[in-house]
């Protein structure tokens, strides 16, 4: 059981090593759950002033493109269809409206807590087409794959998934290849790592020379992961380490990866406010085309501009902290969100707004 003495010792170690580095250090927490845990527990305030924690593109709702929402809205307006989606997605706006607004106007939009619930709805409503909004990273992809296989095996005729599933590693590579990148190391996402395994980060450590440490979500686990990243930087080495080994194995979860590979194939993917990242998404394989909403309904997802003034794209690349968006806390707040990072309970803007930790880097101030 961690004690406050343990935490104090780790923080002291971080301070010692950060002193040796003697420059500003940017550590990206990739996952939205980490962002919230960091803000809620006040970890930022415990760290030396030259360590800056920045948010990454790991909130599923934040990276799902507005054009995808528009397509769901079009489908929802057809009385023959029922849209099924995870909770946060209903509040995100497309170019004009959101699924929540459409539901208030009578569209068939059902919030589900699992992909399996969407398939059950198809069985209960044989006269309707059920479209599952399949969003998220490697954590939510295996359940989608599982229900697609079940639908295929049971010859279900009225179920299809609209895949906006994303892959974490290509996104990290794209961030590192950007000329504006200032990332020194990654606090790797706990949930995704359960599926892909800690070895998946090897190319980031080996080819991009950035420390990667998988962390859990308790404050002691997050602080320990930061300690290991700072230690690597102070020793001028890069490696993959895992302080969440109780659930994250080097090889990941074999069965979940097999499910993903059975149903999906990597494809170029559009990320909200970031654009297309090569081979960073998952498309449904031809074998399961009958359950691919894109093919079944002849859908084309088009690019949609972001709301004027919204800087979600900069926020999820760690280029600015949310308070530097001119709309933060004024016209954009959790009650009336403008961009997806304020909508999602895992969004960086909502975390900053909710927990009020306003610490900004010197560079951003100038
Ligand atoms: Fe977008 Fe609102 Fe965040 Fe600004 S504060 S980046 S408008 S979500």
């Amino acid at each position: 059981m961690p004690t406050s003495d343990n935490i104090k010792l780790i923080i002291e170690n971080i301070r010692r090593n950060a002193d040796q580095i003697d420059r500003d250090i940017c550590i990206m927490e990739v996952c939205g759950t980490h962002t919230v845990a960091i803000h809620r527990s006040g970890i930022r305030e415990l760290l030396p002033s030259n360590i800056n924690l920045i948010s990454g593109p790991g909130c599923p709702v934040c990276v799902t493109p507005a054009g995808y929402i528009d397509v769901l809205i079009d489908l929802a307006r057809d009385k023959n269809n029922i849209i099924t989606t995870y909770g946060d997605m209903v509040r995100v706006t497309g170019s004009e409206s959101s699924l929540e607004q459409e539901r208030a106007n009578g569209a068939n939009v059902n919030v589900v807590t699992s992909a399996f619930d969407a398939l059950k709805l198809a069985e209960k409503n044989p006269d309707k087409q059920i479209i599952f909004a399949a969003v998220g990273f490697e954590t939510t992809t295996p359940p989608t794959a599982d229900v697609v296989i079940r639908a295929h095996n049971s010859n279900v005729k009225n179920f299809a998934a609209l895949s906006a599933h994303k892959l974490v590693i290509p996104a990290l590579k794209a961030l590192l290849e950007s000329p504006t990148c200032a990332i020194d190391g990654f606090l790797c996402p706990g949930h995704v790592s359960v599926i892909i395994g800690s070895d998946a980060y090897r190319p980031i450590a080996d080819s991009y020379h950035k420390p990667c440490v998988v962390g859990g979500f308790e404050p002691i686990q997050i602080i320990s992961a930061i300690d290991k990243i700072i230690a690597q930087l102070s020793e001028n080495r890069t490696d993959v380490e895992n302080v969440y080994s109780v659930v994250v194995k080097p090889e990941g979860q074999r069965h979940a990866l097999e499910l993903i590979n059975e149903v999906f194939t990597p494809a170029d993917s559009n990320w909200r406010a970031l654009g297309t990242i090569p081979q960073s998404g998952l498309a449904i394989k031809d074998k399961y085309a009958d359950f691919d909403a894109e093919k079944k309904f002849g859908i084309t997802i088009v690019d949609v501009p972001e709301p004027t003034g919204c800087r979600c794209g900069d926020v999820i690349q760690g280029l600015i902290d949310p308070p530097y968006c001119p709309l933060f806390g004024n016209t954009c707040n959790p009650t009336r969100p403008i961009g997806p990072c304020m909508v999602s309970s895992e969004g960086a803007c909502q975390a900053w707004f909710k927990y009020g930790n306003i610490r900004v880097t010197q560079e951003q101030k100038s």
Side-chain angles (χ1 to χ4, degrees):
M1 191 71 178
T3 64
S4 56
D5 281 350
N6 294 138
I7 293 178
K8 214 170 141 194
L9 285 175
I10 298 170
I11 296 286
E12 278 167 13
N13 200 46
I14 292 174
R15 284 185 188 282
R16 256 193 313 274
N17 286 329
D19 269 357
Q20 281 179 27
I21 298 169
D22 197 26
R23 64 173 172 84
D24 284 345
I25 305 152
C26 282
I27 298 174
M28 175 172 276
E29 84 270 1
V30 179
C31 147
T33 314
H34 271 147
T35 301
V36 173
I38 286 166
H39 280 271
R40 193 169 41 210
S41 57
I43 286 173
R44 296 170 69 91
E45 278 58 44
L46 296 175
L47 298 174
S49 60
N50 65 329
I51 298 180
N52 188 33
L53 300 182
I54 54 177
S55 298
C59 152
V61 167
C62 305
V63 297
T64 301
Y68 177 91
I69 313 272
D70 283 353
V71 164
L72 289 176
I73 287 171
D74 277 348
L75 291 166
R77 285 174 178 167
D78 183 334
K79 295 289 177 210
N80 293 313
N81 299 333
I82 299 176
I83 303 299
T84 52
T85 176
Y86 297 127
D88 275 356
M89 280 290 293
V90 294
R91 296 185 65 219
V92 187
T93 50
S95 53
E96 287 172 6
S97 176
S98 67
L99 287 168
E100 189 174 57
Q101 285 168 291
E102 296 299 319
R103 185 171 57 184
N105 293 333
N108 280 324
V109 178
N110 272 42
V111 169
V112 291
T113 53
S114 76
F116 191 59
D117 286 347
L119 185 57
K120 278 198 291 196
L121 204 66
E123 286 158 8
K124 280 188 199 150
N125 295 273
D127 57 329
K128 301 276 188 197
Q129 289 294 325
I130 310 301
I131 297 117
F132 175 57
V135 303
F137 295 89
E138 288 90 337
T139 329
T140 53
T141 313
T144 305
D146 187 33
V147 295
V148 167
I149 294 168
R150 285 169 191 256
H152 176 265
N153 292 346
S154 308
N155 202 19
V156 175
K157 298 288 184 202
N158 63 331
F159 174 84
L162 185 60
S163 177
H165 282 305
K166 306 266 187 263
L167 299 167
V168 162
I169 301 295
L172 300 190
K173 288 182 179 173
L175 289 177
L176 291 170
E177 284 166 14
S178 160
T180 52
C181 172
I183 301 164
D184 292 300
F186 290 105
L187 168 58
C188 301
H191 296 138
V192 163
S193 302
V194 171
I195 307 297
I196 66 175
S198 52
D199 280 351
Y201 302 98
R202 222 12 98 191
I204 306 291
D206 293 349
S207 304
Y208 294 86
H209 310 296
K210 303 294 177 190
C212 294
V213 181
V214 179
F217 300 97
E218 295 299 323
I220 184 78
Q221 295 169 324
I222 295 171
I223 289 169
S224 298
I226 293 169
D227 180 36
K228 292 205 177 296
I229 294 169
I230 299 298
Q232 287 190 38
L233 291 170
S234 72
E235 292 159 16
N236 208 16
R237 65 183 172 89
T238 52
D239 201 355
V240 177
E241 293 180 85
N242 180 7
V243 295
Y244 201 29
S245 57
V246 64
V247 288
V248 175
K249 305 299 167 206
E251 69 280 11
Q253 232 181 55
R254 190 176 53 84
H255 179 60
L257 292 170
E258 282 171 0
L259 281 174
I260 295 174
N261 288 334
E262 168 62 23
V263 173
F264 292 100
T265 185
D268 293 353
S269 183
N270 190 14
W271 294 57
R272 186 161 189 162
L274 298 184
T276 298
I277 300 177
Q279 300 294 289
S280 67
L282 289 167
I284 294 175
K285 285 181 176 172
D286 285 345
K287 176 179 176 186
Y288 296 100
D290 289 350
F291 307 94
D292 181 348
E294 216 165 328
K295 292 193 178 111
K296 189 170 182 178
F297 298 98
I299 289 166
T300 306
I301 298 173
V302 296
D303 279 350
V304 170
E306 292 307 308
T308 308
C310 173
R311 295 191 62 186
C312 282
D314 290 337
V315 169
I316 61 177
Q317 294 177 81
L319 298 177
I320 63 162
D321 289 330
Y324 283 89
C325 170
L327 310 183
F328 179 84
N330 303 316
T331 43
C332 182
N333 56 62
T335 313
R336 297 182 62 181
I338 289 178
C341 299
M342 191 63 91
V343 173
S344 170
S345 56
E346 293 196 344
C349 295
Q350 188 176 126
W352 276 79
F353 186 92
K354 218 164 157 181
Y355 299 105
N357 287 332
I358 310 291
R359 193 184 100 183
V360 291
T361 64
Q362 201 55 45
E363 198 178 316
Q364 287 171 333
K365 278 182 199 157
S366 55

